[in-house]
Amino acid sequence: MTQKTTVILDGGMGRELQRRGAPFRQPEWSALALTEAPEAVIAVHAAYIQSGAQIITSNSYAVVPFHIGEERFAREGEALAATAGQLARQAADTQGSGVQVAGSLPPLFGSYRPDLFDAERAGQILAPLVRGLAAHVDLWLAETQSSIVEAQTIRAGLPNDGKPFWLSFTLQDEEVDATPRLRSGETVADAARAAAELGAATLLFNCSQPEVIGAAIDAARAVFAELHVDIGVGAYANAFPPQPKDAKANDGLDELREDLDPEGYLQWAANWVQRGASHIGGCCGIGPEHIAVLAKGL
């Protein structure tokens, strides 16, 4: 894999906001800065671009009732999503030529919790996010999806606007057997087939341990080869210890693994590229310093 074929993504948002002194607390998480410290959101986006990220992700992950509450979401959800899109767009347009904005479409009912998914309510939550982000993003990113039905539901709720659809699943951190699986227990192979059916341009794996990502990349690429489809594969892992099944993403700031400093993370990323990954970035705990090393090393 040559340097020109590796697309560098950005890293996590929440921890970087806290590092910069932005208001940051539960349950609002990173959404708090959209109204109380928008300049900090732009600064984090800019730091990733300056580090070499070619694609940045809107700070809309926490703009869901799970984080900001039902009443506030009903009242301000679309406006907050629009702000997230505008801030990312502003950073991309002023900081770097050709930098693209991915519109983050998060798990609608809580991260790592496929059991909480409610298909009947999903559209009510998704629609304001899409409306708010639509004018500002270059592509749609359904990320940290724990099950296939979550991804299918988000895809069905997107407009036919010609923008690429990227899909990112989160994996079981516990290697129960040799088969890489989503947090729902569904296999990565089945998820890859679903991604192809949904017309995904890129399939990624995020918010998981680096140790489980390589096998997922292998499984996805095998399915795509079997189907004769050209779908990019990539990863953006987190830097936390393994998360138990009852964990919730963004439930607090976990301690970071010492072995996943920028050089340590690069070793994993280089392995993923050797396996055929074309898109590499970072999730929770992976910051601009990591992205700078990835951009240089890959």
Side-chain angles (χ1 to χ4, degrees), residues 3-50:
Q3 181 179 0
K4 291 183 179 179
T5 58
T6 304
V7 178
I8 303 298
L9 313 177
D10 61 2
M13 174 63 73
R15 190 176 294 265
E16 286 304 304
L17 287 171
Q18 188 195 48
R19 281 174 56 176
R20 292 166 187 273
F24 188 83
R25 62 176 181 265
Q26 290 288 60
E28 296 96 337
W29 200 253
S30 57
L32 196 61
L34 292 173
T35 53
E36 297 191 16
E39 69 285 350
V41 177
I42 293 177
V44 173
H45 286 316
Y48 282 121
I49 295 170
Q50 292 161 8

Side-chain angles (χ1 to χ4, degrees), residues 3 8 51-53 263 266 288-298:
Q3 181 179 0
I8 303 298
S51 295
E263 291 297 336
L266 174 62
E289 64 276 11
H290 292 79
I291 300 305
V293 170
L294 293 183
K296 182 178 180 181
L298 300 180

Side-chain angles (χ1 to χ4, degrees), residues 73-193:
F73 182 81
R75 187 174 64 249
E76 301 177 41
E78 182 173 341
L80 289 171
T83 297
Q86 289 166 355
L87 297 177
R89 182 83 268 156
Q90 180 178 338
D93 290 347
T94 58
Q95 292 292 325
S97 175
V99 174
Q100 291 191 305
V101 174
S104 173
L105 300 171
L108 303 176
F109 300 96
S111 303
Y112 299 176
R113 295 297 304 273
D115 56 307
L116 296 181
F117 181 73
D118 184 346
E120 292 186 2
R121 288 196 62 221
Q124 301 170 13
I125 300 174
L126 178 63
L129 295 179
V130 171
R131 288 195 302 267
L133 290 167
H136 312 290
V137 305
D138 300 296
L139 61 96
W140 297 106
L141 172 61
E143 59 178 338
T144 323
Q145 302 296 298
S146 294
S147 68
I148 293 172
V149 68
E150 290 181 35
Q152 291 170 329
T153 302
I154 287 183
R155 183 67 184 95
L158 291 178
N160 294 318
D161 55 9
K163 294 177 181 178
F165 173 60
W166 289 18
L167 176 56
S168 190
F169 286 108
T170 180
L171 306 168
Q172 287 186 357
D173 284 331
E174 308 91 345
E175 297 183 80
V176 179
D177 54 35
T179 304
R181 298 179 182 275
L182 312 186
R183 294 189 186 271
S184 62
E186 296 164 298
T187 67
V188 166
D190 285 342
R193 293 186 186 94

Side-chain angles (χ1 to χ4, degrees), residues 254-276:
D254 297 290
E255 292 297 319
L256 300 182
R257 288 170 46 174
E258 292 184 3
D259 63 316
L260 292 180
D261 60 0
E263 291 297 336
Y265 190 70
L266 174 62
Q267 300 307 308
W268 288 105
N271 175 262
W272 302 333
V273 170
Q274 289 175 350
R275 292 172 181 259

